[in-house]
Amino acid sequence: MSTSTTGLKAPSRPASQWTNWGQWAALVTMTVDHVTRYLLPDAWDAGWASSSIGRIAFPLFAAMVAWHGLFNTRSPGRYAWRIVVIGLFAQLPYMTMPRDGFQLNICFTLALGLVWGSWLRDTADRVSRSQGSLPLAALAVAATLVAWYIIGHWVEYSHLGLLLIPAYMLAFQALSQASLQLSDRLLATLAALPVLTVAGMMNSSDMAKSFTVATTLLMLFFAAGAARFVPQVIVKMPRKLWLAWYPGHFAVIALILHWPWLMEKIA
């Protein structure tokens, strides 16, 4: 069993084969969402793809980040920084997409959610071990809630997006450690309610809500033990492709969107 950089005991590590499949699914569903939203003409009436297939991407990305942050890394902070670096490369083409006002892309939402979720877990662990003051911990949590309220206006998926990873981490830890006793299973089920609530509030249409909640439910089943039944992926995602796809696909979309304008400027 691994330990975190703070010396605290980490949750037992469940099988993670599903994340290799999740990488392919996340990239495909995200690309479908963005191509549908930014490139296809309104006359094609393809909005259903963004409201269905496209709603799988974010809860899937968030689940993988929460899973790795909880089970597969000794340093969630370094992991979050790698996500921020991808976001920095993607931000410029991302800003050329049609939208109202300035917004930081999804990488910043994921990284901040991971840092917050890891900090909350470590804080709760210290308090439960009587190594921290409960009043001071409550004050610190209140301060992070103020930061959450402020930052939520500037990141993609807003306040609910920032909540998703901490809620996933709470549910994953409870479900993966629950015994077969009824009391443990009931507590684990209660721990899963926040992430399902957040997922259900993230979209406006019934179709979008159903796909987001269904994706989240599947992630919870993996944490509850179903992950061990997932076979190895047939073709593993190349690391360079995984790191480059998010900024790269936005760069391609930006070129397609603005190519006529660029040609006019050159002429």
Side-chain angles (χ1 to χ4, degrees):
M1 185 177 294
S2 63
T3 57
S4 67
T5 53
T6 61
L8 299 176
K9 194 174 183 181
S12 56
R13 181 178 177 178
S16 298
Q17 296 98 304
W18 73 268
T19 59
N20 294 323
W21 293 94
Q23 288 181 325
W24 287 108
L27 291 196
V28 169
T29 54
M30 176 187 67
T31 304
V32 168
D33 180 27
H34 293 163
V35 168
T36 302
R37 191 186 312 177
Y38 300 125
L39 292 181
L40 297 186
D42 292 339
W44 286 32
D45 196 22
W48 63 269
S50 181
S51 296
S52 56
I53 298 171
R55 296 307 93 201
I56 295 173
F58 181 64
L60 186 51
F61 275 117
M64 288 189 291
V65 169
W67 189 280
H68 289 312
L70 194 60
F71 302 121
N72 298 333
T73 181
R74 290 178 177 270
S75 178
R78 284 201 294 267
Y79 180 29
W81 173 244
R82 292 197 295 270
I83 298 172
V84 167
V85 171
I86 297 173
L88 290 172
F89 279 103
Q91 186 61 25
L92 183 58
Y94 175 83
M95 289 170 61
T96 68
M97 301 297 107
R99 63 171 40 85
D100 297 327
F102 175 80
Q103 189 178 67
L104 293 169
N105 65 64
I106 192 177
C107 290
F108 295 92
T109 312
L110 295 173
L112 289 168
L114 173 60
V115 170
W116 191 24
S118 298
W119 180 84
L120 288 171
R121 182 176 67 86
D122 289 344
T123 300
D125 202 351
R126 285 194 297 270
V127 171
S128 68
R129 294 169 186 264
S130 299
Q131 295 176 350
S133 167
L134 181 57
L136 286 177
L139 185 62
V141 170
T144 66
L145 289 174
V146 174
W148 162 77
Y149 178 77
I150 296 171
I151 296 171
H153 295 289
W154 299 98
V155 295
E156 190 170 7
Y157 288 99
S158 191
H159 298 92
L160 291 173
L162 291 172
L163 284 172
L164 193 59
I165 288 180
Y168 261 134
M169 293 178 78
L170 172 66
F172 285 167
Q173 183 166 354
L175 288 167
S176 64
Q177 293 185 335
S179 69
L180 295 178
Q181 292 183 356
L182 178 60
S183 59
D184 275 4
R185 287 294 169 178
L186 288 175
L187 287 174
T189 301
L190 288 175
L193 292 181
V195 71
L196 289 171
T197 301
V198 172
M201 295 171 61
M202 290 191 66
N203 300 287
S204 55
S205 72
D206 289 340
M207 178 184 288
K209 286 179 183 292
S210 63
F211 274 82
T212 301
V213 172
T215 303
T216 305
L217 273 173
L218 180 60
M219 303 300 103
L220 296 178
F221 279 125
F222 287 154
R228 66 180 182 271
F229 300 113
V230 178
Q232 293 289 343
V233 70
I234 300 171
V235 179
K236 192 171 182 179
M237 173 78 66
R239 179 173 173 79
K240 290 183 179 179
L241 178 63
W242 175 244
L243 296 176
W245 188 268
Y246 185 73
H249 92 289
F250 267 130
V252 171
I253 292 174
L255 283 175
I256 295 172
L257 279 175
H258 303 291
W259 184 258
W261 177 82
L262 290 173
M263 292 302 293
E264 289 176 6
K265 286 292 184 181
I266 294 173

